């Protein structure tokens, strides 16, 4: 019988050590499940210590057969020593005695009913634990999503900074290329002038003429009004937090303007819109342009989106 009860408890998923204790301290499957339910929060080590120490039970003195156990402190009666020990563990009562009074056994119908109730309790407990596990899983998923989102935002921020650095690098390379072309052009002109001068001298020598003096430089033309050069751009930036007035060097990129707005005003920029004339600046190509290249010098009004 005990082995059969143990097998059933193990099939229900109970821990083997606890199930073995339940078989020792109960009378049948319903009592064993009841004991397991009542002691589910008691550490196994504590239950094992109680098993070793046992409960102090007074023997019947007149030689008659004990039919039950009674708690002298609350007068509750128990069929088995396991039930008495469980009561002692929960109540703290220590005064027990054997009794000749027999406790009527449960009928088969009562046993089935009690067993069904205990199974429903186990089912409800597992359902409750499943709900707790689902809630814990949900919290863990929220934590994971938050970490993923923060990681994605950090990655985007690093990409934005790299784009700004790349745009600044390309702008400098472009300026260096323009300067190099100017130097090459000036050297070519100087070489041409030098060859022309030497050819004139050689021709004059062959013809016996004196070397003509270099022509006097033509008088400088009257100074004309210099074309206006704008080295700065004054921008009115319309953000969700209000208007922002800023003045930037003309070679500042739109990437750098977006980065400044994000740092100083907490505004995340995906694009700039100019109404007059209608222009939209978005993407790496547009945002890599300088304010001068974008036609925003000397002043412009932009909507930040």
């Amino acid at each position: 019988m005990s082995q059969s009860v143990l097998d059933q408890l193990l099939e229900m998923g109970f821990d083997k050590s606890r199930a073995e204790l339940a078989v020792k301290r109960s009378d049948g499957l319903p009592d064993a499940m009841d004991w397991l339910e009542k002691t589910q929060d008691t550490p196994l080590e504590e239950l094992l210590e109680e098993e070793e120490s046992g409960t102090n039970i007074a023997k019947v003195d007149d030689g008659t057969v004990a039919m039950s156990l009674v708690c002298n402190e609350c007068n509750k009666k128990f069929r088995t020593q396991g039930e008495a020990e469980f009561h002692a563990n929960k109540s703290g009562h220590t005064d027990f005695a054997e009794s000749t009074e027999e406790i009527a056994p449960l009928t088969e119908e009562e046993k089935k009913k009690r067993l069904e109730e205990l199974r429903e309790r186990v089912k409800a407990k597992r359902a409750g634990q499943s709900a707790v596990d689902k809630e814990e899983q949900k919290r863990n998923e929220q934590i994971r999503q938050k970490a993923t989102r923060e990681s994605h935002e950090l990655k985007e921020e690093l990409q934005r900074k790299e784009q700004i650095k790349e745009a600044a690098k390309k702008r400098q390379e472009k300026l260096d290329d323009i300067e190099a072309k100017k130097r090459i052009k000036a050297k070519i002109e100087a070489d041409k002038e030098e060859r022309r001068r030497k050819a004139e001298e050689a021709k004059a020598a062959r013809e016996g003429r004196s070397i003509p003096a270099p022509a006097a430089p033509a008088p400088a033309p009257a100074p004309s009004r210099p074309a206006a050069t704008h080295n700065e751009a004054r921008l009115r930036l319309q953000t969700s937090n209000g208007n922002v007035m800023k003045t930037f060097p003309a070679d500042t990129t739109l990437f750098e303007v977006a980065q400044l707005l994000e740092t100083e005003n907490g505004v995340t920029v995906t694009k700039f819109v100019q109404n007059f004339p209608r222009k939209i600046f978005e993407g790496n190509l547009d945002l890599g342009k300088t304010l001068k290249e974008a036609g925003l010098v000397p002043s412009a009004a932009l909507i930040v989106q």
Side-chain angles (χ1 to χ4, degrees):
M1 176 64 180
S2 295
Q3 184 62 34
S4 175
V5 171
L6 178 60
D7 290 341
Q8 292 181 67
L9 292 175
L10 294 177
E11 289 176 2
M12 292 180 187
F14 289 105
D15 177 71
K16 184 177 180 181
S17 298
R18 286 181 178 271
E20 290 174 344
L21 282 175
V23 172
K24 290 181 183 179
R25 295 193 175 194
S26 59
D27 182 17
L29 182 60
D31 285 346
M33 292 181 66
D34 192 26
W35 184 87
L36 285 167
E37 182 185 10
K38 292 176 180 177
T39 59
Q40 60 183 346
D41 297 325
T42 304
L44 179 61
E45 293 76 9
E46 184 177 331
L47 295 174
L48 292 173
E49 289 177 3
E50 291 174 3
E51 177 70 13
E52 293 176 359
S53 61
T55 304
N56 184 22
I57 302 176
K59 301 292 183 180
V60 178
D61 295 332
D62 57 5
T64 56
V65 178
M67 304 301 292
S68 62
L69 300 172
V70 62
C71 175
N72 291 328
E73 297 183 36
C74 66
N75 293 323
K76 286 187 177 180
K77 294 181 176 60
F78 310 95
R79 290 188 183 86
T80 65
Q81 183 172 337
E83 292 180 1
E85 290 177 349
F86 176 75
H87 175 71
N89 178 56
K90 287 298 182 183
S91 64
H93 297 171
T94 57
D95 187 7
F96 292 84
E98 292 180 338
S99 172
T100 57
E101 182 178 348
E102 182 178 4
I103 301 175
L106 296 174
T107 64
E108 288 300 321
E109 187 66 27
E110 288 173 334
K111 287 181 179 179
K112 289 181 180 179
K113 183 178 179 181
R114 189 175 178 190
L115 180 59
E116 186 62 30
E117 290 175 352
L118 290 173
R119 282 176 173 167
E120 287 297 323
R121 288 184 203 171
V122 172
K123 184 178 178 181
K125 180 187 174 185
R126 288 178 178 171
Q129 185 62 42
S130 176
V132 171
D133 292 342
K134 286 181 180 178
E135 186 63 27
E136 182 67 20
Q137 185 178 3
K138 182 179 178 181
R139 286 197 297 269
N140 290 338
E141 179 62 19
Q142 289 174 342
I143 293 172
R144 186 194 66 79
Q145 290 178 355
K146 182 180 178 183
T148 301
R149 186 167 57 252
E150 290 176 349
S151 175
H152 182 67
E153 290 173 354
L154 179 59
K155 184 178 179 180
E156 286 186 340
E157 178 65 19
L158 291 175
Q159 288 178 342
R160 184 184 294 272
K161 290 181 178 178
E162 284 298 321
Q163 288 171 341
I164 291 173
K165 287 171 61 177
E166 185 65 23
K169 180 181 177 182
K170 287 182 179 179
R171 185 175 72 252
Q172 187 59 47
E173 288 175 351
K174 184 176 180 180
L175 294 174
D176 292 344
D177 186 54
I178 292 172
E179 288 298 322
K181 287 179 179 178
K182 286 181 180 180
R183 288 195 298 271
I184 292 171
K185 185 177 180 181
K187 189 170 188 314
I188 291 173
E189 291 296 329
D191 290 344
K192 285 172 64 177
E193 180 61 25
E194 180 66 17
R195 287 197 300 273
R196 187 194 65 76
R197 184 184 64 80
K198 288 182 178 179
E200 287 291 337
E201 290 178 354
K203 183 178 179 182
R206 285 195 303 271
E207 295 176 352
R209 294 185 290 107
S210 60
I211 300 174
S224 60
R225 185 175 179 181
T229 58
H230 300 287
N231 297 321
E232 292 183 337
R234 189 167 183 270
L235 301 182
R236 180 168 65 84
L237 303 164
Q238 183 180 337
T239 73
S240 57
N241 299 332
N243 290 337
V244 177
M245 302 297 295
K246 290 283 185 182
T247 300
F248 300 93
D251 60 352
T252 303
T253 64
L254 286 169
F255 263 131
E256 292 169 316
V257 176
Q259 183 68 21
L260 183 76
L261 284 174
E262 184 171 349
T263 302
E264 295 187 358
N265 302 89
V267 177
T268 301
V269 181
T270 57
K271 62 182 177 180
F272 294 100
V273 177
Q274 183 181 26
N275 281 332
F276 306 105
R278 182 69 177 179
K279 292 181 182 179
I280 297 177
F281 303 98
E282 62 179 332
N284 294 343
L285 183 61
D286 286 344
L287 296 181
K289 293 180 179 179
T290 65
L291 299 179
K292 187 173 183 179
E293 291 170 342
L296 302 177
V297 175
S299 64
L302 296 176
I303 300 172
V304 180
Q305 296 181 353

